[in-house]
């Protein structure tokens, strides 16, 4: 039996429903699919990766970011979200954002994510066609949500224009195997009921997920309360926005009623603990959400509020953050947290039938890690090591949609040094602009 690529003699962590684990197994890939996962495969292939002493696991899924914002990382830190956004991010985006800016930023972000084991990311930003182009070239799986706002965005004078952009993106990328689309109204405070409902209608028409920031800060909650007499979640429920296709990002400030609504409507939550900590936004009630059966995945948010796109660090932070705020070391155990970056994250991006676990018939989005490193010895519990000890640099090889994207730490699909040079050059323009804001 013929396959295209076989990984041999690897330790395999499947993250399937039963959390099946193989001490030693072979994994065969044909085209984009996993066609065999067994102790000794009968498949043959022209390409063999010998993985003795290495770990194969599903690629990590970043459920929320703004990839191109890596260009603003470290530009302005240690200040409240509203000042950070109004004084730094917004003026730069208004003045400098272009398809070229986005391509450079996303290329840099994609390389960073691939190097730290992320094979899929969900993006909310502007010029998403440029993002799609560069992601397609690099070969990273992307879920792209063109941001909808009530006011002019960097690439659209109004929401109507944005809806047209989304329609055009759908026509161009709607059937692509690695570029997936979302409809992304930015937040209940930046999108009024009319545009929120138009976004929902478009998402229904095109059968796409909805991606929205919800209840990130206490300021947002107060603003929505003043304007609509309800919490952000209640407001979205009242106007008829919430449904199973909604991914709500942050959900930091929720009351018990909000959690009940999210559960009843089947809303998925993208949790970004490092961004919430850095901006001092508050403490998302993730333990309660999980207890209620709400699906939660991890996201990094943009690198300007993190300041990297490393999901290994995000897992470590998520586990420790909730133990600290709950004063309970038993919450957010390593297995639960790893699921939030793999199998549960796949549900948050509505692709659990294809990715998030390693099973025959599923798409081959996977990573190979070197375990022969001092900080991973001895090995008693693989979940513990991945969440509490690993940092992402252990990732050596990355396969996305059945294709080798990084092999033995070499990125195969783009010139990494050239991307970093382009980013440094663009940063000079950004720095010059900061002098004017
Ligand atoms: Zn965000």
């Amino acid at each position: 039996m013929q396959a295209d690529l076989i990984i041999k003699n690897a330790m395999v962590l499947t993250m399937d429903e039963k959390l099946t684990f193989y001490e030693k197994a072979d994994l065969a890939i044909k085209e984009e699919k996993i066609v065999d996962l067994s102790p000794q495969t009968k498949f043959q292939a022209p390409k063999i990766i010998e993985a003795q002493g290495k770990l194969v696991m599903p690629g990590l899924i970043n459920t929320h970011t703004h990839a191109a914002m890596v260009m603003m990382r470290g530009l302005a830190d240690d200040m409240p979200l509203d000042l950070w956004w109004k004084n730094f991010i917004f003026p730069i985006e208004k003045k400098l954002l272009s398809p070229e800016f986005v391509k450079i930023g996303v290329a840099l972000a994609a390389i960073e994510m691939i190097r730290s084991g992320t094979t899929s990311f969900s993006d909310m930003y502007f010029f998403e066609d440029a993002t799609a182009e560069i992601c397609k070239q690099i070969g990273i799986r992307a879920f792209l949500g063109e941001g909808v706002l009530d006011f002019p965005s960097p690439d659209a004078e109004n929401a109507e224009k944005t809806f047209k952009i989304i329609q055009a993106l759908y026509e161009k990328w709607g059937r692509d195997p690695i570029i997936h689309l979302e409809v992304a109204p930015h937040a209940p405070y930046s999108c009024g009921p009319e545009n929120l409902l138009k976004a929902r209608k478009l998402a229904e028409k095109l059968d796409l997920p909805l991606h929205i920031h919800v209840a990130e800060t206490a300021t947002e909650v107060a603003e929505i309360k003043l304007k609509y007499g309800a919490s952000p979640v209640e407001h979205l429920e009242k106007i008829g926005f919430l449904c199973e296709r909604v991914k709500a990002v942050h959900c930091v400030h929720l009351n018990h009623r909000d959690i009940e609504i999210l559960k009843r409507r089947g809303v998925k939550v993208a949790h970004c603990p490092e961004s919430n900590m850095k901006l001092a936004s508050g403490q998302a009630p993730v333990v309660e959400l999980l207890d209620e059966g709400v699906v939660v995945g991890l996201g990094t948010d943009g690198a300007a509020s993190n300041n990297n796109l490393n999901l290994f660090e995000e897992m470590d932070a998520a586990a420790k953050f909730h133990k600290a705020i709950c004063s309970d070391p038993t919450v957010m155990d390593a297995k639960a947290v790893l699921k939030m970056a793999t199998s549960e994250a796949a549900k948050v991006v509505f692709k659990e039938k294809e990715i998030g676990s390693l099973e025959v018939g599923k798409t081959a989005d996977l990573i190979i890690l070197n375990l022969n490193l001092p900080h991973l010895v001895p090995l008693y519990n693989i979940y513990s090591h991945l969440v509490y000890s690993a940092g992402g640099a252990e990732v050596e090889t990355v396969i996305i949609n059945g294709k080798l994207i990084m092999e033995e730490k070499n990125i195969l699909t783009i010139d990494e040094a050239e991307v970093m040079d382009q980013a440094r050059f663009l940063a000079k323009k950004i720095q010059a602009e900061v002098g004017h804001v």
Side-chain angles (χ1 to χ4, degrees), residues 242-258:
L242 296 180
C243 59
E244 280 196 343
R245 65 177 75 240
V246 173
K247 169 175 57 179
V249 181
H250 295 309
C251 292
V252 170
H253 297 275
L254 301 179
N255 59 41
H256 295 300
R257 246 188 351 260
D258 293 336

mmCIF file with all atom_site columns, all heavy atoms in Angstrom, residues 242-258:
data_model
loop_
_atom_site.group_PDB
_atom_site.id
_atom_site.type_symbol
_atom_site.label_atom_id
_atom_site.label_alt_id
_atom_site.label_comp_id
_atom_site.label_asym_id
_atom_site.label_entity_id
_atom_site.label_seq_id
_atom_site.pdbx_PDB_ins_code
_atom_site.Cartn_x
_atom_site.Cartn_y
_atom_site.Cartn_z
_atom_site.occupancy
_atom_site.B_iso_or_equiv
_atom_site.pdbx_formal_charge
_atom_site.auth_seq_id
_atom_site.auth_comp_id
_atom_site.auth_asym_id
_atom_site.auth_atom_id
_atom_site.pdbx_PDB_model_num
ATOM 1   N N   . LEU A 1 242 ? -26.634 35.807 18.961 1.00 0.00 ? 242 LEU A N   1
ATOM 2   C CA  . LEU A 1 242 ? -25.939 34.590 19.414 1.00 0.00 ? 242 LEU A CA  1
ATOM 3   C C   . LEU A 1 242 ? -26.531 33.316 18.810 1.00 0.00 ? 242 LEU A C   1
ATOM 4   O O   . LEU A 1 242 ? -27.743 33.160 18.711 1.00 0.00 ? 242 LEU A O   1
ATOM 5   C CB  . LEU A 1 242 ? -25.978 34.506 20.945 1.00 0.00 ? 242 LEU A CB  1
ATOM 6   C CG  . LEU A 1 242 ? -25.243 35.625 21.680 1.00 0.00 ? 242 LEU A CG  1
ATOM 7   C CD1 . LEU A 1 242 ? -25.363 35.433 23.186 1.00 0.00 ? 242 LEU A CD1 1
ATOM 8   C CD2 . LEU A 1 242 ? -23.773 35.699 21.270 1.00 0.00 ? 242 LEU A CD2 1
ATOM 9   N N   . CYS A 1 243 ? -25.643 32.421 18.412 1.00 0.00 ? 243 CYS A N   1
ATOM 10  C CA  . CYS A 1 243 ? -26.054 31.126 17.872 1.00 0.00 ? 243 CYS A CA  1
ATOM 11  C C   . CYS A 1 243 ? -24.830 30.217 17.874 1.00 0.00 ? 243 CYS A C   1
ATOM 12  O O   . CYS A 1 243 ? -23.749 30.629 18.285 1.00 0.00 ? 243 CYS A O   1
ATOM 13  C CB  . CYS A 1 243 ? -26.609 31.274 16.459 1.00 0.00 ? 243 CYS A CB  1
ATOM 14  S SG  . CYS A 1 243 ? -25.435 31.996 15.301 1.00 0.00 ? 243 CYS A SG  1
ATOM 15  N N   . GLU A 1 244 ? -24.996 29.003 17.386 1.00 0.00 ? 244 GLU A N   1
ATOM 16  C CA  . GLU A 1 244 ? -23.906 28.018 17.447 1.00 0.00 ? 244 GLU A CA  1
ATOM 17  C C   . GLU A 1 244 ? -22.694 28.388 16.613 1.00 0.00 ? 244 GLU A C   1
ATOM 18  O O   . GLU A 1 244 ? -21.609 27.879 16.848 1.00 0.00 ? 244 GLU A O   1
ATOM 19  C CB  . GLU A 1 244 ? -24.427 26.653 17.000 1.00 0.00 ? 244 GLU A CB  1
ATOM 20  C CG  . GLU A 1 244 ? -25.187 25.953 18.092 1.00 0.00 ? 244 GLU A CG  1
ATOM 21  C CD  . GLU A 1 244 ? -25.370 24.486 17.824 1.00 0.00 ? 244 GLU A CD  1
ATOM 22  O OE1 . GLU A 1 244 ? -25.189 24.090 16.651 1.00 0.00 ? 244 GLU A OE1 1
ATOM 23  O OE2 . GLU A 1 244 ? -25.694 23.756 18.765 1.00 0.00 ? 244 GLU A OE2 1
ATOM 24  N N   . ARG A 1 245 ? -22.878 29.272 15.630 1.00 0.00 ? 245 ARG A N   1
ATOM 25  C CA  . ARG A 1 245 ? -21.722 29.599 14.787 1.00 0.00 ? 245 ARG A CA  1
ATOM 26  C C   . ARG A 1 245 ? -20.869 30.737 15.366 1.00 0.00 ? 245 ARG A C   1
ATOM 27  O O   . ARG A 1 245 ? -19.920 31.177 14.738 1.00 0.00 ? 245 ARG A O   1
ATOM 28  C CB  . ARG A 1 245 ? -22.151 29.900 13.352 1.00 0.00 ? 245 ARG A CB  1
ATOM 29  C CG  . ARG A 1 245 ? -23.004 31.101 13.135 1.00 0.00 ? 245 ARG A CG  1
ATOM 30  C CD  . ARG A 1 245 ? -23.297 31.328 11.652 1.00 0.00 ? 245 ARG A CD  1
ATOM 31  N NE  . ARG A 1 245 ? -24.276 30.405 11.110 1.00 0.00 ? 245 ARG A NE  1
ATOM 32  C CZ  . ARG A 1 245 ? -24.026 29.572 10.099 1.00 0.00 ? 245 ARG A CZ  1
ATOM 33  N NH1 . ARG A 1 245 ? -22.854 29.552 9.524  1.00 0.00 ? 245 ARG A NH1 1
ATOM 34  N NH2 . ARG A 1 245 ? -24.968 28.768 9.659  1.00 0.00 ? 245 ARG A NH2 1
ATOM 35  N N   . VAL A 1 246 ? -21.210 31.203 16.583 1.00 0.00 ? 246 VAL A N   1
ATOM 36  C CA  . VAL A 1 246 ? -20.465 32.325 17.175 1.00 0.00 ? 246 VAL A CA  1
ATOM 37  C C   . VAL A 1 246 ? -19.276 31.844 18.003 1.00 0.00 ? 246 VAL A C   1
ATOM 38  O O   . VAL A 1 246 ? -19.402 30.967 18.855 1.00 0.00 ? 246 VAL A O   1
ATOM 39  C CB  . VAL A 1 246 ? -21.383 33.193 18.071 1.00 0.00 ? 246 VAL A CB  1
ATOM 40  C CG1 . VAL A 1 246 ? -20.569 34.257 18.818 1.00 0.00 ? 246 VAL A CG1 1
ATOM 41  C CG2 . VAL A 1 246 ? -22.479 33.853 17.236 1.00 0.00 ? 246 VAL A CG2 1
ATOM 42  N N   . LYS A 1 247 ? -18.111 32.461 17.725 1.00 0.00 ? 247 LYS A N   1
ATOM 43  C CA  . LYS A 1 247 ? -16.941 32.306 18.593 1.00 0.00 ? 247 LYS A CA  1
ATOM 44  C C   . LYS A 1 247 ? -16.744 33.631 19.309 1.00 0.00 ? 247 LYS A C   1
ATOM 45  O O   . LYS A 1 247 ? -16.490 34.658 18.676 1.00 0.00 ? 247 LYS A O   1
ATOM 46  C CB  . LYS A 1 247 ? -15.708 31.978 17.759 1.00 0.00 ? 247 LYS A CB  1
ATOM 47  C CG  . LYS A 1 247 ? -14.424 32.079 18.567 1.00 0.00 ? 247 LYS A CG  1
ATOM 48  C CD  . LYS A 1 247 ? -13.210 31.653 17.791 1.00 0.00 ? 247 LYS A CD  1
ATOM 49  C CE  . LYS A 1 247 ? -13.043 32.449 16.537 1.00 0.00 ? 247 LYS A CE  1
ATOM 50  N NZ  . LYS A 1 247 ? -11.865 32.079 15.768 1.00 0.00 ? 247 LYS A NZ  1
ATOM 51  N N   . ALA A 1 248 ? -16.904 33.628 20.633 1.00 0.00 ? 248 ALA A N   1
ATOM 52  C CA  . ALA A 1 248 ? -16.775 34.849 21.427 1.00 0.00 ? 248 ALA A CA  1
ATOM 53  C C   . ALA A 1 248 ? -15.381 34.882 22.051 1.00 0.00 ? 248 ALA A C   1
ATOM 54  O O   . ALA A 1 248 ? -14.991 33.962 22.764 1.00 0.00 ? 248 ALA A O   1
ATOM 55  C CB  . ALA A 1 248 ? -17.844 34.881 22.509 1.00 0.00 ? 248 ALA A CB  1
ATOM 56  N N   . VAL A 1 249 ? -14.642 35.947 21.766 1.00 0.00 ? 249 VAL A N   1
ATOM 57  C CA  . VAL A 1 249 ? -13.261 36.052 22.240 1.00 0.00 ? 249 VAL A CA  1
ATOM 58  C C   . VAL A 1 249 ? -13.215 36.827 23.558 1.00 0.00 ? 249 VAL A C   1
ATOM 59  O O   . VAL A 1 249 ? -13.911 37.838 23.700 1.00 0.00 ? 249 VAL A O   1
ATOM 60  C CB  . VAL A 1 249 ? -12.396 36.791 21.197 1.00 0.00 ? 249 VAL A CB  1
ATOM 61  C CG1 . VAL A 1 249 ? -10.947 36.881 21.661 1.00 0.00 ? 249 VAL A CG1 1
ATOM 62  C CG2 . VAL A 1 249 ? -12.494 36.110 19.844 1.00 0.00 ? 249 VAL A CG2 1
ATOM 63  N N   . HIS A 1 250 ? -12.398 36.368 24.474 1.00 0.00 ? 250 HIS A N   1
ATOM 64  C CA  . HIS A 1 250 ? -12.128 36.962 25.794 1.00 0.00 ? 250 HIS A CA  1
ATOM 65  C C   . HIS A 1 250 ? -13.159 36.532 26.838 1.00 0.00 ? 250 HIS A C   1
ATOM 66  O O   . HIS A 1 250 ? -12.830 35.797 27.745 1.00 0.00 ? 250 HIS A O   1
ATOM 67  C CB  . HIS A 1 250 ? -11.998 38.492 25.739 1.00 0.00 ? 250 HIS A CB  1
ATOM 68  C CG  . HIS A 1 250 ? -10.813 38.947 24.943 1.00 0.00 ? 250 HIS A CG  1
ATOM 69  N ND1 . HIS A 1 250 ? -9.550  38.455 25.175 1.00 0.00 ? 250 HIS A ND1 1
ATOM 70  C CD2 . HIS A 1 250 ? -10.698 39.809 23.901 1.00 0.00 ? 250 HIS A CD2 1
ATOM 71  C CE1 . HIS A 1 250 ? -8.703  39.006 24.316 1.00 0.00 ? 250 HIS A CE1 1
ATOM 72  N NE2 . HIS A 1 250 ? -9.377  39.827 23.526 1.00 0.00 ? 250 HIS A NE2 1
ATOM 73  N N   . CYS A 1 251 ? -14.397 37.037 26.773 1.00 0.00 ? 251 CYS A N   1
ATOM 74  C CA  . CYS A 1 251 ? -15.419 36.674 27.774 1.00 0.00 ? 251 CYS A CA  1
ATOM 75  C C   . CYS A 1 251 ? -14.851 36.776 29.188 1.00 0.00 ? 251 CYS A C   1
ATOM 76  O O   . CYS A 1 251 ? -14.979 35.853 29.995 1.00 0.00 ? 251 CYS A O   1
ATOM 77  C CB  . CYS A 1 251 ? -15.949 35.267 27.508 1.00 0.00 ? 251 CYS A CB  1
ATOM 78  S SG  . CYS A 1 251 ? -16.897 35.167 25.987 1.00 0.00 ? 251 CYS A SG  1
ATOM 79  N N   . VAL A 1 252 ? -14.200 37.904 29.469 1.00 0.00 ? 252 VAL A N   1
ATOM 80  C CA  . VAL A 1 252 ? -13.568 38.100 30.774 1.00 0.00 ? 252 VAL A CA  1
ATOM 81  C C   . VAL A 1 252 ? -14.611 38.455 31.835 1.00 0.00 ? 252 VAL A C   1
ATOM 82  O O   . VAL A 1 252 ? -14.637 37.880 32.918 1.00 0.00 ? 252 VAL A O   1
ATOM 83  C CB  . VAL A 1 252 ? -12.495 39.220 30.680 1.00 0.00 ? 252 VAL A CB  1
ATOM 84  C CG1 . VAL A 1 252 ? -12.005 39.618 32.063 1.00 0.00 ? 252 VAL A CG1 1
ATOM 85  C CG2 . VAL A 1 252 ? -11.330 38.749 29.811 1.00 0.00 ? 252 VAL A CG2 1
ATOM 86  N N   . HIS A 1 253 ? -15.486 39.412 31.490 1.00 0.00 ? 253 HIS A N   1
ATOM 87  C CA  . HIS A 1 253 ? -16.444 39.908 32.486 1.00 0.00 ? 253 HIS A CA  1
ATOM 88  C C   . HIS A 1 253 ? -17.820 39.312 32.221 1.00 0.00 ? 253 HIS A C   1
ATOM 89  O O   . HIS A 1 253 ? -18.629 39.874 31.490 1.00 0.00 ? 253 HIS A O   1
ATOM 90  C CB  . HIS A 1 253 ? -16.475 41.440 32.456 1.00 0.00 ? 253 HIS A CB  1
ATOM 91  C CG  . HIS A 1 253 ? -15.158 42.029 32.835 1.00 0.00 ? 253 HIS A CG  1
ATOM 92  N ND1 . HIS A 1 253 ? -14.780 42.251 34.143 1.00 0.00 ? 253 HIS A ND1 1
ATOM 93  C CD2 . HIS A 1 253 ? -14.089 42.386 32.080 1.00 0.00 ? 253 HIS A CD2 1
ATOM 94  C CE1 . HIS A 1 253 ? -13.554 42.742 34.181 1.00 0.00 ? 253 HIS A CE1 1
ATOM 95  N NE2 . HIS A 1 253 ? -13.112 42.825 32.938 1.00 0.00 ? 253 HIS A NE2 1
ATOM 96  N N   . LEU A 1 254 ? -18.064 38.138 32.797 1.00 0.00 ? 254 LEU A N   1
ATOM 97  C CA  . LEU A 1 254 ? -19.343 37.445 32.612 1.00 0.00 ? 254 LEU A CA  1
ATOM 98  C C   . LEU A 1 254 ? -20.018 37.267 33.960 1.00 0.00 ? 254 LEU A C   1
ATOM 99  O O   . LEU A 1 254 ? -19.350 36.990 34.956 1.00 0.00 ? 254 LEU A O   1
ATOM 100 C CB  . LEU A 1 254 ? -19.117 36.047 32.014 1.00 0.00 ? 254 LEU A CB  1
ATOM 101 C CG  . LEU A 1 254 ? -18.408 35.927 30.666 1.00 0.00 ? 254 LEU A CG  1
ATOM 102 C CD1 . LEU A 1 254 ? -18.291 34.446 30.290 1.00 0.00 ? 254 LEU A CD1 1
ATOM 103 C CD2 . LEU A 1 254 ? -19.143 36.686 29.576 1.00 0.00 ? 254 LEU A CD2 1
ATOM 104 N N   . ASN A 1 255 ? -21.353 37.400 33.980 1.00 0.00 ? 255 ASN A N   1
ATOM 105 C CA  . ASN A 1 255 ? -22.080 37.011 35.187 1.00 0.00 ? 255 ASN A CA  1
ATOM 106 C C   . ASN A 1 255 ? -22.691 35.622 34.947 1.00 0.00 ? 255 ASN A C   1
ATOM 107 O O   . ASN A 1 255 ? -22.553 35.055 33.853 1.00 0.00 ? 255 ASN A O   1
ATOM 108 C CB  . ASN A 1 255 ? -23.136 38.070 35.560 1.00 0.00 ? 255 ASN A CB  1
ATOM 109 C CG  . ASN A 1 255 ? -24.140 38.278 34.437 1.00 0.00 ? 255 ASN A CG  1
ATOM 110 O OD1 . ASN A 1 255 ? -24.576 37.305 33.812 1.00 0.00 ? 255 ASN A OD1 1
ATOM 111 N ND2 . ASN A 1 255 ? -24.503 39.529 34.167 1.00 0.00 ? 255 ASN A ND2 1
ATOM 112 N N   . HIS A 1 256 ? -23.355 35.080 35.961 1.00 0.00 ? 256 HIS A N   1
ATOM 113 C CA  . HIS A 1 256 ? -23.883 33.710 35.833 1.00 0.00 ? 256 HIS A CA  1
ATOM 114 C C   . HIS A 1 256 ? -24.900 33.600 34.705 1.00 0.00 ? 256 HIS A C   1
ATOM 115 O O   . HIS A 1 256 ? -24.971 32.592 34.010 1.00 0.00 ? 256 HIS A O   1
ATOM 116 C CB  . HIS A 1 256 ? -24.496 33.252 37.163 1.00 0.00 ? 256 HIS A CB  1
ATOM 117 C CG  . HIS A 1 256 ? -23.471 33.139 38.249 1.00 0.00 ? 256 HIS A CG  1
ATOM 118 N ND1 . HIS A 1 256 ? -22.388 32.300 38.152 1.00 0.00 ? 256 HIS A ND1 1
ATOM 119 C CD2 . HIS A 1 256 ? -23.340 33.792 39.430 1.00 0.00 ? 256 HIS A CD2 1
ATOM 120 C CE1 . HIS A 1 256 ? -21.632 32.433 39.230 1.00 0.00 ? 256 HIS A CE1 1
ATOM 121 N NE2 . HIS A 1 256 ? -22.192 33.339 40.016 1.00 0.00 ? 256 HIS A NE2 1
ATOM 122 N N   . ARG A 1 257 ? -25.691 34.674 34.539 1.00 0.00 ? 257 ARG A N   1
ATOM 123 C CA  . ARG A 1 257 ? -26.691 34.661 33.458 1.00 0.00 ? 257 ARG A CA  1
ATOM 124 C C   . ARG A 1 257 ? -26.008 34.607 32.093 1.00 0.00 ? 257 ARG A C   1
ATOM 125 O O   . ARG A 1 257 ? -26.438 33.897 31.193 1.00 0.00 ? 257 ARG A O   1
ATOM 126 C CB  . ARG A 1 257 ? -27.567 35.914 33.558 1.00 0.00 ? 257 ARG A CB  1
ATOM 127 C CG  . ARG A 1 257 ? -29.002 35.589 33.901 1.00 0.00 ? 257 ARG A CG  1
ATOM 128 C CD  . ARG A 1 257 ? -29.956 36.762 33.827 1.00 0.00 ? 257 ARG A CD  1
ATOM 129 N NE  . ARG A 1 257 ? -29.379 38.070 33.652 1.00 0.00 ? 257 ARG A NE  1
ATOM 130 C CZ  . ARG A 1 257 ? -29.188 38.953 34.633 1.00 0.00 ? 257 ARG A CZ  1
ATOM 131 N NH1 . ARG A 1 257 ? -29.498 38.634 35.866 1.00 0.00 ? 257 ARG A NH1 1
ATOM 132 N NH2 . ARG A 1 257 ? -28.701 40.149 34.377 1.00 0.00 ? 257 ARG A NH2 1
ATOM 133 N N   . ASP A 1 258 ? -24.918 35.375 31.968 1.00 0.00 ? 258 ASP A N   1
ATOM 134 C CA  . ASP A 1 258 ? -24.168 35.376 30.702 1.00 0.00 ? 258 ASP A CA  1
ATOM 135 C C   . ASP A 1 258 ? -23.688 33.961 30.364 1.00 0.00 ? 258 ASP A C   1
ATOM 136 O O   . ASP A 1 258 ? -23.794 33.507 29.221 1.00 0.00 ? 258 ASP A O   1
ATOM 137 C CB  . ASP A 1 258 ? -22.933 36.289 30.796 1.00 0.00 ? 258 ASP A CB  1
ATOM 138 C CG  . ASP A 1 258 ? -23.287 37.757 30.939 1.00 0.00 ? 258 ASP A CG  1
ATOM 139 O OD1 . ASP A 1 258 ? -24.391 38.143 30.525 1.00 0.00 ? 258 ASP A OD1 1
ATOM 140 O OD2 . ASP A 1 258 ? -22.442 38.511 31.462 1.00 0.00 ? 258 ASP A OD2 1
#
